[in-house]
Each structure stands twice: as C-alpha cells, then as structure tokens.
Amino acid sequence: MKKLIILFAAIVAIISTSSCTKLDVPVESQYVKSNFPVTDADYNALLGTIYSNLSSQYAVPYWRMQELSTDEAILPARDGNFDDGGQYRQLHYHTWTFDHPNVTGIWQWGFGGINICNRILGTIDASSSTAAKKAASSAEVKAMRALYYYFMMDLYGNVPIITDFPVTTLPSTQPRTKVYQFIESELLKALPLLPVKTSSNATLYYGRPTKAMVFALLEKMYLNAQVYTGTANYTGAVAMADSVLKGNNYSLDLKYRDIFLPNNGPQINETIFAIPYDQQIPGNQFTRFGFFYYLVQAYGFNVGLSIAMSTTPEFYNRFNLPNDVRSKTWLAGPQFAPDGSGGFTTQPVYYPGTTTQIYIEPKLTLVPGKPMDLGNTIASQSEGVRSLKYYPDPAIIQSTRLNGNDVPVLRLADVMLMKAEAILRGATATVVNGELQTPDVLVNKIRLRAGAPTVSGIDLDGLLDERAREFSWEAWRRNDLIRYGKFEVEYPLPNDNLNMNKDVSRRLYPIPATERKLNPNLTQNPGYPN
C-alpha cells in the first residue's frame, strides 16, 4: 500500500473543547478525551495530520528555498510571465526579504507541523492506552517534530524551541547551537523506541520514522555540525552511517530511475524516509513546473503545464560521465519519444502541428535589459534543460496537476556519500561487514549502479560533483554548497543585468516580518533589517 493513512477529520470533534447547550441529541461517538486514542486505528488517525502537513509544502515551496537559491534550479520569467512579483529571481540572486512568500510560508508550515506534534503529544499523554503504546507513539511524534525542527534550523538557523501546547508564553529566539542540541537530544531519546524496517514491515513503516531515519538524520547533522555549531563532528557522521550500513535492511536499487517513478513506494530498497504522494495526497507538482509542455502528448497525457522551471547550464554540465544513466533524468537537445521505462526511443517528437523536432537548448540567454527574463517565443520557451527525474505521472489531470511520485528525503546513497565526505574531511575509514569503506569504495558503489566509470582518488570537489549528479532536485544542494563554502559562487547568464548578493548572512533566511509582529521576542537574523 503506497498511501499513508491520513484520517484526521473526525479528530477535530473528538478533542474539541467547545460546549454544547442542546442536550437531547443522540450519541454519535463512543470517544471522549479520556479514552482517545486507544487502538492502532485511533493512533493512525491522530498522527495523520503530522504527515499531511509535511506533504503539503515539501514539494514544491520548501524545495524552492533549497534549490532555486542555488545553481541546481532556476525559474526565469518569459516576457514577464512566471515572474510572480520577482520572487524566483530574488531566490536566484539571494535578494529575498523578510516578507518573501516562501520565507513566510515555510516558516508557518514548519512551525505549524511542530505545533501539531505538540498538540498530539498532549493527547497521547492523556490517553488511557497502555504505557508501551503511548511511549512508542510519542517517540514517533517526537522524531517527526525533530525532523521539522531540522528543516527550520537549516533554513532559518536561530529559531524558538516550542514543546508546549497551547503556547502560553511567547517564545524567544534560540541560538542555532542550542536548537541543534535539542534536535540531537530528541532523536537520541526517541531512537530506542522506534521500529527497525524489515522486509515484512516495510509498507507499515514507509514514510514514518524508523531507527535508520534517525541515524541518517543525525549523520546529516554531524556532517554539517561545523556549519550549525562551529564544531566539526565527522567521526560522529561516520558512526551514524555505519549504524545504517551494517544492517541488511537497505540496499541500492538496481535501477536509478525506479527510485523516482510515479509507482515508487515501499518496494524501493534504499529509501530510508520519503514523503508519499498520489492524486489524493496533494503537494507534488514537479511535472507541472519542471516538465516541457510541448512534450505532454508524447508522454501520454494532455494538461496545461508551466514552461519555466529548469536548471542552469553550469549545473547541467556536470552530467558528463560516459554511460551515466543519471544524465537521462534531464531533457536537453533534440527530443525523442519515451520508451516507457525512463529512456527514449529513436522516434522524434515534433512541435504540435509542425514537422520541426522539439529541441531544448541548454543555454539561457536573457533578454537585454529585462531582469532574469528569457522572452516568450517558441525558441526562448525551449531554452533551459528540464528535469525528468520525477517522471511524469500519466494519472495527472488538469484540475490538480499532481504527481504521484513519492519524494525521497533520506536514502542509502546519501548515507554512503555523506560517509565518504566525512572521511575526506578527516574521519577514519571504517570496516563494515568485512569491507574497508574508503571514499573511493563508497563512491564507486554509486557509480556502478549509475553505469558510470569508476573513480580513483576522489577528492572533496569531485565528491561535490558526485552529489550533484546523484541528488539533483532532491532539496540538498543549498545544504551542500553552504558546507563547501560555495553558496556565494555566482554563475552569470548572458545579458544578465543583476548581481548576486554574496553576503554570507544569506546562508540563513530571515525571520518573517509577520512573525516578528506577532511575537516581539523573536530576534532577526544578522544581516537583515530589524
């Protein structure tokens, strides 16, 4: 079963504190605050709001903050269309302000999720179910709260720590180091009570916290500890990686394309934590924004799509390894009909009503004098390499334009490449299941699956390029570039009349203006006006 159980509408009535003056009404439910939740179905319904909130903004608004601020993705205007008040070029040039729609919306999304977790923890605590059930469910909720906090710490740095519901005192901004320590502590405390994914329970715990999710998230934190706290912890990152790698519960899938297809799900062996999507779980609109709409009929559907979001030529140039299947996740050059399994036939695809083969030009040539604008001719519409990573879902419909592809957040390949990087940065290579895992050994496991040439003597810059190939459009590029000190590297386009703000303060997003008006105890991040 691919979907999560998201049954939470009835909970509003069950936990409501409102009163009723009409007493002669039939009893509609046996549930009251003192006996809910009890059964597994109760808990699934109660916890569903955590996951529905998570999926609602992860793909695409959260993704935009992590990717449009880098070389990995760009959403240029087309003769003024798709400019949307300049919000996408502000991300591209690092000129966002404290009222940018994503800055505000994602703060509210993240702390909305944290607030949901806090409310649910109170409900669980008051439940009459067994102590063991309450402890296990609370661990799941606290692990999810820690994930939300990780997203907020990574984006905004210095954020309030809120653990109560309702909130009776306006919380103050906490230093990023303290937030890091809180997340680490919460994950370590939840760890013993979380399940281990096995072949028999993979569906049950798909998209939910497991021990491996905690290990992988802690590895991500420890790899970035120098950024987050000022103190490196590469040895800790290796230890967390080994906690995943020493088991047999995860393995690299044979086909890279399978990880991202519309029918992906718990059968993907390397997925440690993913966000499920389908036509009833809204949020994934990668086809709507990132595909090329003149190709829709060739791919078996016919809906109106954007023509705007693509990648930069500079980023696409990294896909230069012979026989690397990851290069097929992009649409560039002359276009051919798909073969139905992530590849292409030799049948050309033509612009509708013509005999001209569609050609996607990797170069992005801006119109002189216009800010990040390509123009809106057929030729300029065809500029910009499009992503085919989240393969178009044939079930897409015009009214919603949703994808059913689940979106991975943490997967085994990331665990392996993070370990390789930690070793290159000074940690000691370790033996796992009888194998000495050097950076070359780990990278070549990824290369072998991709069909790319093996590497010898990989260095940090080479590893960053490997991460670009492996994790393109998976919302980790900003995180990687900041860790490498390359977030401020500019990649100007022809006829560009704007410049990137290269101040390192842009490595954090500002605290939204609306939130500071509501809560004067929030302190603005350095480099932004109060």
Side-chain angles (χ1 to χ4, degrees):
M1 184 176 81
K2 182 177 173 180
K3 299 179 190 174
L4 285 175
I5 301 174
I6 304 181
L7 303 172
F8 56 89
I11 308 309
V12 176
I14 294 167
I15 65 170
S16 173
T17 58
S18 62
S19 61
C20 179
T21 57
K22 186 176 180 180
L23 302 180
D24 56 340
V25 293
V27 176
E28 299 289 346
S29 172
Q30 62 181 330
Y31 291 120
V32 294
K33 289 178 65 176
S34 62
N35 72 359
F36 180 87
V38 177
T39 68
D40 288 345
D42 295 344
Y43 276 95
N44 284 334
L46 179 64
L47 272 59
T49 47
I50 299 172
Y51 300 103
S52 60
N53 182 78
L54 184 67
S55 62
S56 67
Q57 299 293 311
Y58 187 85
V60 171
Y62 168 84
W63 179 93
R64 285 176 177 164
M65 295 181 76
Q66 296 286 13
E67 303 288 46
L68 290 181
S69 58
T70 75
D71 57 345
E72 193 163 288
I74 185 171
L75 208 166
R78 311 271 175 167
D79 199 21
N81 294 320
F82 309 107
D83 184 69
D84 291 348
Q87 59 178 296
Y88 311 123
R89 56 182 150 88
Q90 289 167 12
L91 290 171
H92 180 78
Y93 294 105
H94 297 188
T95 57
W96 52 77
T97 60
F98 49 52
D99 58 355
H100 187 282
N102 287 147
V103 168
T104 301
I106 294 305
W107 175 284
Q108 294 170 348
W109 166 76
F111 278 99
I114 290 165
N115 194 50
I116 290 169
C117 291
N118 291 337
R119 174 180 61 80
I120 289 174
L121 286 170
T123 302
I124 293 173
D125 187 60
S127 167
S128 61
S129 56
T130 67
K133 181 63 177 177
K134 291 164 68 172
S137 297
S138 293
E140 177 178 352
V141 176
K142 288 181 179 180
M144 289 304 300
R145 184 175 66 181
L147 180 64
Y148 276 113
Y149 259 113
Y150 176 79
F151 293 151
M152 295 298 98
M153 178 190 69
D154 185 67
L155 289 172
Y156 301 96
N158 311 296
V159 299
I161 298 174
I162 306 169
T163 58
D164 296 326
F165 181 87
V167 178
T168 57
T169 303
L170 293 177
S172 300
T173 305
Q174 299 298 319
R176 199 182 207 183
T177 299
K178 187 172 181 179
V179 181
Y180 175 99
Q181 293 168 347
F182 170 76
I183 298 169
E184 179 186 34
S185 174
E186 290 288 285
L187 290 173
L188 291 174
K189 285 188 291 186
L191 180 61
L193 295 171
L194 293 175
V196 174
K197 173 221 165 184
T198 65
S199 58
S200 61
N201 67 15
T203 298
L204 178 63
Y205 293 116
Y206 181 71
R208 297 168 65 181
T210 60
K211 283 182 169 62
M213 176 201 141
V214 168
F215 292 138
L217 185 56
L218 285 171
E219 182 186 9
K220 186 73 71 174
M221 289 178 61
Y222 294 158
L223 184 65
N224 289 282
Q226 182 73 52
V227 174
Y228 294 148
T229 71
T231 303
N233 189 8
Y234 301 121
T235 299
V238 170
M240 291 300 101
D242 288 352
S243 296
V244 177
L245 295 167
K246 68 184 180 183
N248 297 313
N249 297 317
Y250 300 91
S251 60
L252 294 178
D253 287 82
L254 294 178
K255 293 184 178 180
Y256 181 76
R257 299 297 284 120
D258 289 351
I259 305 169
F260 310 99
L261 293 176
N263 64 349
N264 62 356
Q267 78 276 13
I268 302 300
N269 296 314
E270 71 181 79
T271 299
I272 295 173
F273 184 80
I275 300 178
Y277 289 100
D278 62 19
Q279 297 303 315
Q280 285 73 48
I281 302 177
N284 183 345
Q285 293 188 311
F286 281 118
T287 293
R288 174 185 176 183
F289 292 109
F291 193 54
F292 189 56
Y293 71 56
Y294 289 122
L295 290 169
V296 294
Q297 291 184 349
Y299 281 77
F301 58 93
N302 188 13
V303 300
L305 301 173
S306 169
I307 58 171
M309 198 160 69
S310 58
T311 194
T312 67
E314 185 270 345
F315 186 81
Y316 177 65
N317 287 340
R318 288 182 171 84
F319 289 78
N320 55 4
L321 300 179
N323 303 314
D324 189 342
V325 299
R326 297 169 298 188
S327 299
K328 294 182 179 180
T329 61
W330 300 103
L331 297 174
Q335 294 302 295
F336 297 88
D339 64 7
S341 59
F344 308 95
T345 68
T346 58
Q347 175 62 45
V349 180
Y350 304 106
Y351 288 102
T354 77
T355 56
T356 302
Q357 186 177 8
I358 293 175
Y359 186 92
I360 296 179
E361 171 58 59
K363 290 194 303 182
L364 295 166
T365 303
L366 303 179
V367 175
K370 290 190 174 183
M372 208 174 86
D373 197 313
L374 296 174
N376 207 19
T377 65
I378 293 292
S380 63
Q381 288 174 9
S382 303
E383 290 185 26
V385 178
R386 289 353 192 246
S387 174
L388 199 66
K389 188 164 189 173
Y390 302 100
Y391 202 80
D393 187 348
I396 190 172
I397 59 174
Q398 180 62 41
S399 60
T400 58
R401 293 180 285 187
L402 296 173
N403 277 52
N405 318 56
D406 298 347
V407 177
V409 179
L410 296 163
R411 56 188 180 93
L412 185 64
D414 199 2
V415 168
M416 295 165 68
L417 291 188
M418 285 193 291
K419 179 179 179 180
E421 183 181 334
I423 295 169
L424 287 174
R425 293 186 183 275
T428 302
T430 57
V431 175
V432 175
N433 298 332
E435 175 186 61
L436 178 62
Q437 294 188 335
T438 65
D440 281 358
V441 167
L442 291 162
V443 171
N444 283 332
K445 290 177 184 290
I446 306 299
R447 289 277 187 104
L448 180 64
R449 191 261 298 278
T454 57
V455 67
S456 178
I458 189 82
D459 59 12
L460 281 170
D461 285 341
L463 190 61
L464 181 61
D465 284 346
E466 196 64 30
R467 288 190 61 82
R469 298 182 192 102
E470 182 69 20
F471 305 114
S472 64
W473 283 37
E474 291 186 51
W476 289 119
R477 183 64 171 171
R478 171 183 164 274
N479 183 280
D480 289 346
L481 291 180
I482 290 173
R483 187 172 65 254
Y484 271 78
K486 296 186 176 184
F487 188 56
E488 294 76 35
V489 174
E490 196 166 18
Y491 29 94
L493 301 171
N495 301 324
D496 209 338
N497 64 351
L498 298 174
N499 295 306
M500 177 186 285
N501 183 339
K502 298 181 181 180
D503 194 301
V504 295
S505 65
R506 297 283 147 165
R507 295 180 183 182
L508 291 179
Y509 285 99
I511 310 301
T514 53
E515 299 303 316
R516 296 193 66 221
K517 288 180 180 178
L518 293 171
N519 180 4
N521 293 333
L522 297 178
T523 302
Q524 186 56 272
N525 282 327
Y528 294 98
N530 286 318

